[in-house]
Amino acid sequence: YANFFDSMDSVFHFDFADLVINSVNGNGNFQYVENVIRWENLAKARQDNAILSTFLRNHDQHRLASVLGNDQSRMRLAAEMLIAAPGTPFLYYGEELGVLGTKSGQAPVWDESVRLPMLFENEYKPTWPMDDWGYQDNFNTNVPGIQTQMADENSLFNVYARMLNLRKESIALRFGHAVAYELNNSQLQGFYRVLDYDANNREIVLVLHNLGNHDIMVEETGEVLYYTLYDFEGILAPKSTVILRLPVSRIGSLLGND
């Protein structure tokens, strides 16, 4: 993977996509953060300005929601892992709604069953699958559309919206170097995103993911920037994420400059 950075600025990171999905479906992965950091370091060693183009699924693969068993908690966690990780995240349209679909492998639809119309709930809703092929989208009959999910603060759409808005506001989440959290285990996987650019651009955030099926107590304290379930009181629920802003005084020790 890293070898491509000898001739390219940015490369789609298929290994990252599989790592996230396998970690979420497997309810844990002791090496998740280890691999994320290793890949970042390998890319930067090839090119200082390397951009890791992270994603979860694309137009040639089964839909993310289908791969994750249409499980809302798994879809939320996968979204949080994508957007919190180093790199520039790419979303395949509909992932933010939990759109389902698997490749049919049969004419005339072939792979178009993973490229079906967006779930608009107004006059913009397309009808071409039925008009052109007589194909009814039975995958997404019960998946709430855009307008419904925008109005629901607990929807998958709003997990994506909250995480992306936080990423816009946090320079560490956009540009920070990843440093492994000291207490990682197979269920709790976390990393610091550390940025020390100049006096006006310094920030540390700690990202903690609970990949497992049981509550985890978090002793680290800081300003809570994000929690899947909104109100964080030290217990990280199964399949959830918390992001804390920490004092910049810790930058030196985390980057090995002290």
Side-chain angles (χ1 to χ4, degrees):
Y1 166 75
N3 295 343
F4 287 103
F5 287 108
D6 290 343
S7 57
M8 300 180 183
D9 296 324
S10 180
V11 179
F12 278 118
H13 204 332
F14 283 81
D15 290 342
F16 172 83
D18 290 339
L19 177 67
V20 170
I21 289 169
N22 291 337
S23 299
V24 172
N25 276 337
N27 301 316
N29 186 336
F30 191 81
Q31 296 181 313
Y32 169 72
V33 167
E34 178 184 326
N35 279 304
V36 167
I37 292 174
R38 178 172 62 86
W39 287 328
E40 180 188 24
N41 291 339
L42 284 171
K44 297 297 185 182
R46 292 282 185 169
Q47 184 181 151
D48 286 342
N49 296 321
I51 300 171
L52 295 86
S53 296
T54 54
F55 72 103
L56 296 174
R57 279 296 176 258
N58 68 20
H59 64 286
D60 287 324
Q61 298 172 304
H62 297 320
R63 280 281 189 175
L64 177 66
S66 294
V67 174
L68 296 179
N70 196 23
D71 184 295
Q72 287 291 314
S73 64
R74 292 183 179 188
M75 288 187 278
R76 288 197 305 261
L77 179 58
E80 292 161 348
M81 294 169 75
L82 169 68
I83 297 169
T88 298
F90 284 74
L91 312 183
Y92 182 42
Y93 82 96
E95 282 180 347
E96 72 277 25
L97 301 179
V99 167
L100 295 153
T102 57
K103 298 190 289 184
S104 74
Q106 296 180 345
V109 179
W110 300 112
D111 289 358
E112 297 305 315
S113 50
V114 297
R115 306 166 186 163
L116 294 169
M118 191 65 165
L119 301 183
F120 293 109
E121 297 171 303
N122 53 25
E123 65 273 18
Y124 294 107
K125 183 176 182 178
T127 60
W128 57 261
M130 180 60 72
D131 296 343
D132 294 350
W133 304 330
Y135 181 83
Q136 178 67 42
D137 176 12
N138 292 319
F139 287 108
N140 296 293
T141 304
N142 297 317
V143 177
I146 294 176
Q147 285 73 24
T148 297
Q149 293 205 34
M150 288 179 67
D152 178 3
E153 69 174 11
N154 295 312
S155 69
L156 181 62
F157 174 90
N158 275 309
V159 168
Y160 277 91
R162 291 168 60 206
M163 283 294 298
L164 288 169
N165 282 328
L166 176 59
R167 188 181 174 98
K168 286 170 56 180
E169 296 167 3
S170 169
I171 55 173
L173 274 181
R174 294 199 308 278
F175 306 117
H177 179 62
V179 178
Y181 182 54
E182 300 87 346
L183 302 179
N184 282 343
N185 56 51
S186 61
Q187 278 73 53
L188 179 66
Q189 286 286 286
F191 47 80
Y192 304 91
R193 298 291 306 277
V194 185
L195 183 72
D196 187 18
Y197 184 72
D198 58 32
N200 296 316
N201 292 279
R202 307 178 79 217
E203 188 182 33
I204 307 173
V205 297
L206 173 61
V207 178
L208 297 174
H209 302 299
N210 182 352
L211 307 180
N213 294 320
H214 304 285
D215 289 343
I216 295 176
M217 181 173 292
V218 176
E219 297 185 359
E220 190 77 49
T221 59
E223 178 188 355
V224 179
L225 301 179
Y226 176 92
Y227 179 48
T228 308
L229 304 180
Y230 289 93
D231 296 323
F232 184 70
E233 298 181 352
I235 301 296
L236 190 57
K239 298 290 187 294
S240 70
T241 296
V242 66
I243 301 176
L244 307 173
R245 178 181 283 130
L246 305 181
V248 294
S249 58
R250 297 180 57 180
I251 285 179
S253 61
L254 288 172
L255 295 180
N257 297 330
D258 283 357

